[in-house]
């Protein structure tokens, strides 16, 4: 269905994704990128409305890397949004 | 907590969602005027264990929420997921409504509880009062220590 | 090929201005409402619909309960709710009350599931020195908490008995001025115990907690004793008997003074569940604490042999919970430890301040851990992470880090933020939030992320399921017998903290 999701099925190679800033924060994307360092190369540009991501799968042995990365980016972004709404910082 | 844990049935009207499916994923098209972003985020988050989750904004005031199964779906699984997602969305919308409506009250209670604590003597007095209430109200005879009574 | 369909679902009608602040979720066919202060009420689904619509009238049987608990806007007493919440969260700002002191890493057992970063018995360089022990005691006694429990762990802590003796004596000496309520507790496998040390522990009122994984075949299988042909089980139970006799001879109340025991569940344990509970009953231990394995550290290497899924463990736990309840119905006095912790939160106006299940978690704010070399950690898990080569949780060292610096360390703040349930997606609206607690260090060990994706964390699954089991039983308790049993499990009878025999 989603062209991005189909692209993410490809085991290797480059993928370009646009993530909307209402759902995905730059910090959340960067945190996910750090978590997947060595498995996935992530370059972020654009923002804050739209983040453009250039991704390259570096470890083809791991299935669904881009999808896992996106889940992590969403988790980190939603978590930070909730924390920000409360004004809770470390 | 799964989406099913949060869903509760208290139905009146019917809500209609447009659902797209491609055999591996389902996408709900959501009107943000009806479902605030916090409710969409809340619903999406509940599926992170079972699905790959994606949020997109194809147009102003519209959110697409896509769930892709982590393994090839079983027959009927995508339809079930769409139903669960829709219910989760409805449920989260109610939670957001209640949270917004009661937010100021909660803030006041928290502030009174933690930032405007009365003097220690008042706390001790309060605790003594609460303890006294508990001891007075013991219909189950639970204050009897184990070794002095049967369970 | 893309298909397009429509989905029609029932929508809830809500009049939020009629409602107080609460969270909710399904327990069987009922809806459970919970408040920040831990008060709760079960409603039928039609009644919940009435409540949401603001149509529940004062003549309704549930109305008074909902109003008293602040679930209705009508007559909502914010001051009363604030008082209840303050009492429930009395631990906030109180400071660490638990000091875990690692006297040595040396251990003479090599348990399959050990997380304690043990070393072999010849590694004397992993013993805490007396000079470090003095600094540790001086450090932790700066806690603002009026109650402080020293918990000696290892390795096998009694391998370095001199440090235990020193800490007990030095803390009591300091306490002549500090006037705190002190407890001392040693967590020992008993396999290094001798009569001189045992006598000293009894004479000095040091509480003893051991590991008893179950009947002989289970215990000896789980806890092999390095270099010995003697069985660990016989040794442990022999010393348990010795201590319990010594307490009686000393004139102490055996209901309060006896060796406590912890068990860890392996796949083998799950085949002997009832026998484990029966053993605890037979030995007069009233609290069996059924704990799942933590799937990291040593355990990952042998996970296939001893491990299981969380679902398997929860099925085991539920069977054991019902067995323990059944024994209570028969008049046997036994409780399950984690259930008792949750029930104190559910059924009493207080919180047991169990450092692993509270918001925020107690790491660095409710407890503090001192490594054998004087390194400071927010908890024993932080030390274990360091033992695996990652110093991320090290807060400093007793030589150069004050107590205030350690407990206000950015790492402690980050852990508190990552375990404040109101600040976590999913947790913030979860019905279990008043009773639950998340473990950021556990998350980090599992996924490298302090926050972790909530639905993927085993502790979320575990806590949710366990509390649901308790509420399910309360929801189907027409004669009140289950509640009576559960309330009994919430009663603490403290053993007079700091019974300093020399005072």
């Amino acid at each position: 269905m989603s062209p991005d999701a189909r692209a993410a099925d490809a085991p290797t190679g480059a993928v370009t994704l646009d993530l909307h800033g209402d759902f995905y924060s730059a910090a959340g994307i960067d945190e996910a990128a750090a978590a997947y360092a060595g498995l996935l190369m992530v370059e972020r540009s654009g923002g804050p409305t739209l983040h453009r991501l250039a991704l390259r799968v570096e470890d083809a042995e791991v299935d669904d890397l881009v999808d896992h990365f996106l889940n992590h980016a969403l988790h980190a972004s939603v978590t930070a949004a909730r924390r920000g709404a409360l004004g809770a910082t470390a | 907590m799964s989406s099913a844990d949060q869903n509760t049935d208290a139905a009146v009207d019917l809500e209609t969602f447009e659902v797209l499916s491609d055999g591996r994923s389902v996408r709900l098209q959501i009107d943000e005027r009806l479902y605030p972003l916090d409710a969409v985020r809340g619903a999406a988050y509940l599926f992170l264990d079972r699905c790959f989750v994606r949020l997109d904004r194809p147009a102003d005031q519209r959110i697409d929420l896509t769930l892709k199964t982590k393994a090839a779906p079983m027959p009927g699984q995508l339809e079930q997921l769409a139903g669960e997602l829709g219910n989760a969305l409805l449920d989260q919308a109610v939670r957001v409504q209640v949270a917004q409506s009661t937010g100021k009250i909660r803030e006041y209670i928290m502030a009174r509880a933690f930032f405007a604590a009365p003097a220690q003597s008042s706390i001790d007095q309060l605790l003594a009062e609460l303890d006294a209430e508990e001891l007075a109200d013991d219909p189950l005879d639970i204050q009897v220590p184990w070794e002095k009574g049967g369970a | 090929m893309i298909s397009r369909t429509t989905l029609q679902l029932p929508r809830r009608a809500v009049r939020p201005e009629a409602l107080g602040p609460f969270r909710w979720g399904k327990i069987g066919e009922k809806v459970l409402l919970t408040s920040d202060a831990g008060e709760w009420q079960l409603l039928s689904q039609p009644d919940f619909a009435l409540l949401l619509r603001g149509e529940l009238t004062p003549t309704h049987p549930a109305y008074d309960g909902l109003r008293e608990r602040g679930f209705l806007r009508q007559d909502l007493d914010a001051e009363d709710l604030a008082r209840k919440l303050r009492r429930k969260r009395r631990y906030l700002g109180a400071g660490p009350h638990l000091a875990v002191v690692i006297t040595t890493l040396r251990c003479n057992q090599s348990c399959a599931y050990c997380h304690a970063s043990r070393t072999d018995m010849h590694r004397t360089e992993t013993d805490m020195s007396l000079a470090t022990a003095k600094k540790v005691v001086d450090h932790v006694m700066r806690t603002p908490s009026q109650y402080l429990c020293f918990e000696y762990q290892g390795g096998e802590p009694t391998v370095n008995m001199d440090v235990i003796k020193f800490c007990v004596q030095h803390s009591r000496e300091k306490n002549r001025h500090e006037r705190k309520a002190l407890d001392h507790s040693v967590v020992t496998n008993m396999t290094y115990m001798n009569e001189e040390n045992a006598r000293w522990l009894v004479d000095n009122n040091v509480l003893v907690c051991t590991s008893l994984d179950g009947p002989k075949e289970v215990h000896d299988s789980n806890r092999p004793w390095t270099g010995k042909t003697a069985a660990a089980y016989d040794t442990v139970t022999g010393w348990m008997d010795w201590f319990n006799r010594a307490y009686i001879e000393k004139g102490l109340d055996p209901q309060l003074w006896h060796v406590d025991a912890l068990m860890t569940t392996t796949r083998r344990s799950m085949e002997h569940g009832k026998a484990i509970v029966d053993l605890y009953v037979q030995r007069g231990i009233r609290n069996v604490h059924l704990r799942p394995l933590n799937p990291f550290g040593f355990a990952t290497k042998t996970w296939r042999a001893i491990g299981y899924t969380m679902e398997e463990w929860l099925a085991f736990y539920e069977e054991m919970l019902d067995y323990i309840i059944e024994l209570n119905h028969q008049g046997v006095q036994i409780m399950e430890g984690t259930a008792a912790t949750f029930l104190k939160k559910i059924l009493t106006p207080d919180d047991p301040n169990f450092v692993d299940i509270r918001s925020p978690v107690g790491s660095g704010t409710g407890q503090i851990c001192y490594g054998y070399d004087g390194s400071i950690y927010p908890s024993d898990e932080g030390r274990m992470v360091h033992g695996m080569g990652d110093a991320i949780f090290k807060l400093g060292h007793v030589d150069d880090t004050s107590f205030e610096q350690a407990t206000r360390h950015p790492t402690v703040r980050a852990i508190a933020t990552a375990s404040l349930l109101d600040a976590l997606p999913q947790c913030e609206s979860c019905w279990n939030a008043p009773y639950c607690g998340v473990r950021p260090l556990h998350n980090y060990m599992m996924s490298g992320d302090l926050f972790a994706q909530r639905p993927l964390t085993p502790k979320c699954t575990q806590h949710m399921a366990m509390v649901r089991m308790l509420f399910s039983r309360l929801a189907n308790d027409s004669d009140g017998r289950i509640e009576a049993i559960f309330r009994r499990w919430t009663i603490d009878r403290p053993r007079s903290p700091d019974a300093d025999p020399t005072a």
Side-chain angles (χ1 to χ4, degrees):
Chain A
M1 54 180 305
S2 151
D4 296 333
R6 278 201 301 275
D9 285 337
T12 57
V15 181
T16 302
L17 289 179
D18 288 333
L19 299 181
H20 201 282
D22 283 353
F23 318 118
Y24 301 88
S25 66
I29 293 167
D30 292 346
E31 182 185 319
Y36 282 82
L39 301 171
L40 195 63
M41 168 89 91
V42 182
E43 283 182 29
R44 178 175 59 81
S45 60
T49 309
L50 206 63
H51 306 287
R52 172 143 296 189
L53 268 57
L55 303 124
R56 181 179 296 278
V57 174
E58 294 186 324
D59 188 341
E61 295 296 308
V62 184
D63 292 336
D64 302 317
L65 259 178
V66 173
D67 289 322
H68 283 292
F69 162 79
L70 286 173
N71 264 18
H72 195 121
L74 182 65
H75 151 68
S77 302
V78 171
T79 302
R82 176 67 200 163
R83 207 160 60 239
L86 283 189
T89 53
Chain B
M1 175 167 51
S2 71
S3 56
D5 288 315
Q6 290 210 342
N7 291 341
T8 43
D9 303 328
V12 200
D13 298 326
L14 289 179
E15 179 72 18
T16 303
F17 294 101
E18 291 288 315
V19 183
L20 279 75
S21 178
D22 68 351
R24 178 69 191 270
S25 60
V26 287
R27 174 185 296 175
L28 248 66
Q29 300 181 332
I30 300 161
D31 185 341
E32 200 179 353
R33 289 168 300 186
L34 302 176
Y35 296 93
L37 184 52
D38 279 347
V40 179
R41 280 192 186 123
Y45 198 87
L46 295 174
F47 290 85
L48 282 177
D49 55 340
R50 291 180 289 161
C51 299
F52 297 120
V53 182
R54 177 79 187 269
L55 288 167
D56 290 299
R57 185 185 286 294
D60 192 34
Q61 301 290 341
R62 210 187 102 187
I63 300 172
D64 281 1
L65 202 172
T66 306
L67 298 181
K68 176 181 165 188
T69 55
K70 289 189 174 176
M74 307 287 283
Q77 190 182 349
L78 289 178
E79 291 77 8
Q80 189 181 333
L81 262 182
E84 284 186 41
L85 176 57
N87 275 322
L89 200 55
L90 288 160
D91 189 75
Q92 290 293 320
V94 176
R95 287 175 195 276
V96 169
Q97 262 185 293
V98 175
Q100 283 177 344
S101 174
T102 58
K104 291 280 183 222
I105 299 170
R106 271 192 91 211
E107 278 175 27
Y108 177 82
I109 292 169
M110 296 277 181
R112 291 293 295 163
F114 303 125
F115 301 111
Q120 187 63 40
S121 60
S122 301
I123 295 176
D124 292 341
Q125 190 181 357
L126 161 74
L127 297 180
E129 283 169 14
L130 289 170
D131 283 336
E133 284 168 23
E134 276 171 60
L135 289 169
D137 181 22
D138 186 18
L140 298 171
D141 207 23
I142 59 103
Q143 297 294 336
V144 179
W146 262 351
E147 61 271 25
K148 291 181 183 166
Chain C
M1 193 180 77
I2 294 177
S3 66
R4 180 183 291 265
T5 54
T6 56
L7 176 68
Q8 285 202 314
L9 295 169
R11 185 171 56 193
R12 295 136 177 83
V14 190
R15 198 162 74 83
E17 64 274 18
L19 305 174
F22 60 85
R23 302 176 174 89
W24 68 90
K26 267 186 183 173
I27 299 289
E29 291 306 308
K30 293 187 175 170
V31 181
L32 175 73
L33 280 67
T34 61
S35 75
D36 284 319
E39 295 197 297
W40 55 274
Q41 189 154 344
L42 286 157
L43 292 179
S44 69
Q45 293 192 39
D47 285 349
F48 181 64
L50 283 177
L51 171 71
L52 284 185
R53 291 202 298 269
E55 294 173 2
L56 206 129
T57 60
T59 57
H60 191 284
Y63 186 90
D64 286 343
L66 291 165
R67 186 175 52 82
E68 283 162 17
R69 294 176 179 98
F71 296 146
L72 296 171
R73 192 75 59 95
Q74 181 76 35
D75 301 330
L76 188 139
D77 185 346
E79 298 299 331
D80 180 53
L81 296 176
R83 278 192 295 272
K84 288 173 178 168
L85 183 59
R86 181 161 62 243
R87 178 171 177 171
K88 202 70 170 180
R89 302 288 177 87
R90 215 180 324 175
Y91 55 79
L92 291 174
H97 65 276
L98 174 63
V100 176
V101 181
I102 308 299
T103 66
T104 181
L105 294 186
R106 292 193 289 154
C107 187
N108 53 345
Q109 287 195 305
S110 53
C111 307
Y113 47 70
C114 180
H115 305 124
S117 316
R118 63 170 292 280
T119 58
D120 291 333
M121 289 299 285
H122 68 280
R123 296 278 304 277
T124 52
E125 77 277 12
T126 69
D127 286 358
M128 181 177 278
S129 69
L130 292 180
T132 300
K134 179 176 185 308
K135 290 174 186 170
V136 165
V137 171
D138 292 346
H139 197 267
V140 77
M141 286 193 72
R142 288 190 59 82
T143 181
S145 174
Q146 279 304 299
Y147 170 74
L148 179 60
C149 178
F150 286 85
E151 187 174 289
Y152 304 101
Q153 291 195 23
E156 165 48 40
T158 60
V159 168
N160 192 0
M161 193 67 194
D162 286 349
V163 157
I164 296 176
K165 289 180 178 176
F166 176 83
C167 289
V168 170
Q169 288 162 343
H170 182 54
S171 63
R172 284 180 175 158
E173 183 60 35
K174 278 183 76 73
N175 205 39
R176 292 180 196 278
H177 306 291
E178 304 278 352
R179 315 293 295 170
K180 293 181 188 295
L182 292 187
D183 263 337
H184 293 272
S185 174
V186 59
V187 181
T188 172
N189 64 29
M190 297 282 199
T191 58
Y192 204 75
M193 193 61 70
N194 60 44
E195 191 141 343
E196 180 191 346
N197 288 341
R199 176 60 56 196
W200 189 91
L201 292 169
V202 171
D203 288 347
N204 285 274
N205 294 338
V206 175
L207 307 175
V208 176
C209 183
T210 193
S211 298
L212 184 60
D213 278 3
K216 188 176 174 65
E217 62 270 29
V218 177
H219 187 89
D220 288 345
S221 165
N222 282 358
R223 308 181 67 87
W225 190 352
T226 314
K228 288 271 185 178
T229 51
Y233 174 85
D234 294 337
T235 305
V236 171
T237 52
W239 278 112
M240 290 174 79
D241 292 341
W242 188 96
F243 274 99
N244 291 339
R245 273 197 310 272
Y247 293 137
I248 292 170
E249 286 164 9
K250 199 180 170 187
L252 296 170
D253 181 351
Q255 307 290 351
L256 300 177
W257 284 86
H258 52 259
V259 176
D260 277 329
L262 293 171
M263 60 87 61
T264 301
T265 312
T266 61
R267 178 163 285 285
R268 191 179 182 93
S269 319
M270 291 163 83
E271 296 161 7
H272 298 82
K274 288 186 178 177
I276 292 170
V277 174
D278 290 343
L279 175 69
Y280 273 63
V281 171
Q282 178 200 326
R283 300 201 65 79
I285 303 169
R286 294 182 165 189
N287 187 349
V288 55
H289 199 142
L290 301 170
R291 302 183 303 167
L293 284 170
N294 286 329
F296 42 68
F298 266 69
T300 48
K301 296 180 184 171
T302 46
W303 188 252
R304 282 188 187 168
I306 65 172
Y308 38 78
T309 65
M310 180 53 74
E311 287 68 29
E312 288 174 306
W313 185 81
L314 286 168
F316 165 75
Y317 180 85
E318 184 157 33
E319 187 188 343
M320 290 305 101
L321 180 66
D322 283 335
Y323 180 57
I324 291 167
I325 291 171
E326 181 51 38
L327 288 174
N328 275 260
H329 281 310
Q330 295 168 17
V332 177
Q333 296 166 8
I334 182 85
M335 69 172 88
E336 197 288 310
T338 309
T341 296
F342 284 126
L343 288 167
K344 284 171 191 163
K345 294 164 178 275
I346 294 168
L347 296 175
T348 82
D350 292 308
D351 188 281
N353 199 6
F354 180 58
V355 290
D356 287 342
I357 309 178
R358 47 170 250 191
S359 171
V361 74
S363 306
T365 50
Q367 69 169 316
I368 191 161
C369 172
Y370 297 92
Y372 72 90
D373 62 349
S375 295
I376 308 166
Y377 304 96
S379 68
D380 198 33
E381 283 171 332
R383 176 187 69 91
M384 283 186 252
V385 173
H386 196 184
M388 289 187 250
D390 183 349
I392 188 170
F393 294 115
K394 184 173 171 180
L395 303 177
H397 191 279
V398 289
D399 280 344
D400 54 24
T401 311
S402 71
F403 181 83
E404 290 74 18
Q405 286 171 325
T407 53
R408 293 173 189 170
H409 194 280
T411 299
V412 173
R413 291 170 190 262
I415 292 167
T417 303
S419 58
L420 189 64
L421 299 182
D422 265 310
L424 297 178
Q426 183 170 325
C427 298
E428 48 99 7
S429 65
C430 178
W431 58 269
N432 196 27
Y435 317 116
C436 196
V438 301
R439 306 267 295 271
L441 278 77
H442 198 278
N443 294 340
Y444 182 84
M445 291 165 93
M446 291 285 290
S447 66
D449 175 7
L450 273 187
F451 290 85
Q453 296 174 32
R454 309 300 324 133
L456 283 171
T457 57
K459 284 292 168 198
C460 175
T461 309
Q462 181 191 340
H463 290 169
M464 184 88 62
M466 290 170 83
V467 178
R468 172 172 275 115
M469 287 175 205
L470 299 173
F471 273 115
S472 297
R473 278 145 189 81
L474 287 168
N476 297 291
D477 180 33
S478 52
D479 59 5
R481 292 180 70 206
I482 299 267
E483 184 175 340
I485 289 168
F486 282 177
R487 284 197 180 274
R488 233 175 264 282
W489 294 6
T490 69
I491 299 174
D492 278 328
R493 299 181 62 211
R495 283 180 263 208
S496 73
D498 194 28
D500 177 353
T502 63

